[in-house]
Amino acid sequence: MNIKTTFLAAAALTISSMAVADVTITVPDTIDLLVVNDGKPELSGSFFSKTKKLTLPDGENQILFRYQPYFMQGNDRIILESDPIIAKFNAKETELTFDMPQYRDRHEGEKEIKNFEWQLTSAGGAAVAVTQDKLIKDGMQIGRNFKIELADYNRRGGVAAITPITATTMLPTKKIANENLGTDSTAEEMLHFWYSKADAETQSRFKEFLLSNGS
């Protein structure tokens, strides 16, 4: 076997191992993914499909979602909406699905959705251990910035929180590349947010850092 053939074989094995070293979640159209690992969800699948795929790295992940079951009332579609749910879980090289409650009608859904029970299950039906919490905000709910709210939740150390370092290392490679190219304006929003939360001494050190690296 020549060097070129050996190199191609090794590359193929590497790509193959990378392909399976992921967590894949089937996301039904009743799940509104809001934030995934401190970033915008990247789903694959056709626009009209009732399910899409979410690919996450092995290890600890955090998602923020709302459950939105719908019912037909004549020609109208009635959509219910749960509180935003934060879910933290640890998985490796597996395919998962959302196991959500099914309501007989709108009235049952309206009664049960505030405290609905759900699971992430593997292909064999085993439930993944999930730590969950609600992302609650008092007052007006229109125009919420869920990414900033979740970042603040993680900073405060809620029961389903992850550390900022973990959240950064869990971002998919494509997401990191996009942010390095400056295609995601959310990075600037987060910079302003954390700067405003810092004390005067920390802000001063940050300004010195910017000045020393400005050239």
Side-chain angles (χ1 to χ4, degrees):
M1 183 179 293
N2 58 39
I3 295 177
K4 181 178 179 181
T5 304
T6 303
F7 174 78
L8 291 174
L13 287 173
T14 301
I15 294 172
S16 175
S17 63
M18 289 175 63
V20 298
D22 286 317
V23 176
T24 303
I25 303 179
T26 299
V27 183
D29 61 357
T30 54
I31 297 294
D32 179 21
L33 274 178
L34 303 168
V35 183
V36 174
N37 289 340
D38 196 36
K40 181 180 179 181
E42 295 187 3
L43 299 172
S44 60
S46 69
F47 180 79
F48 297 101
S49 175
K50 282 188 169 294
T51 61
K52 289 183 170 57
K53 295 289 186 180
L54 173 68
T55 301
L56 300 173
D58 288 337
E60 186 178 71
N61 288 280
Q62 184 190 58
I63 60 174
L64 176 68
F65 73 93
R66 286 183 298 208
Y67 182 36
Q68 296 180 326
Y70 54 85
F71 306 89
M72 297 306 298
Q73 186 170 306
N75 294 325
D76 298 325
R77 175 183 284 195
I78 307 299
I79 302 176
L80 304 182
E81 185 172 276
S82 73
D83 292 320
I85 302 296
I86 308 167
K88 178 177 69 173
F89 59 94
N90 201 309
K92 181 179 180 181
E93 297 181 19
T94 186
E95 295 184 4
L96 304 175
T97 58
F98 280 92
D99 184 5
M100 310 303 292
Q102 302 297 315
Y103 304 123
R104 291 189 302 270
D105 52 40
R106 170 186 176 181
H107 301 294
E108 182 183 32
E110 290 174 338
K111 179 181 178 181
E112 301 291 339
I113 199 168
K114 278 292 181 182
N115 297 292
F116 72 95
E117 295 184 358
W118 68 284
Q119 290 180 323
L120 282 176
T121 58
S122 66
V128 173
V130 174
T131 303
Q132 63 175 304
D133 199 1
K134 292 183 179 181
L135 189 64
I136 301 298
K137 178 184 177 183
D138 297 326
M140 185 177 294
Q141 304 296 305
I142 299 174
R144 295 178 64 177
N145 190 321
F146 288 107
K147 183 172 181 180
I148 289 181
E149 287 184 38
L150 185 57
D152 190 43
Y153 173 91
N154 287 328
R155 181 185 62 82
R156 290 184 283 106
V159 296
I162 57 175
T163 64
I165 294 177
T166 304
T168 301
T169 57
M170 290 189 306
L171 285 173
T173 303
K174 181 179 179 182
K175 178 66 174 176
I176 295 174
N178 286 343
E179 291 187 350
N180 289 338
L181 291 172
T183 58
D184 190 351
S185 62
T186 309
E188 182 177 350
E189 296 176 11
M190 294 300 297
L191 184 61
H192 285 291
F193 173 77
W194 288 115
Y195 182 83
S196 67
K197 294 290 184 181
D199 56 33
E201 183 180 351
T202 303
Q203 290 179 351
S204 179
R205 289 200 305 268
F206 183 65
K207 289 177 182 178
E208 291 176 3
F209 169 79
L210 292 179
L211 290 173
S212 63
N213 289 271
S215 57

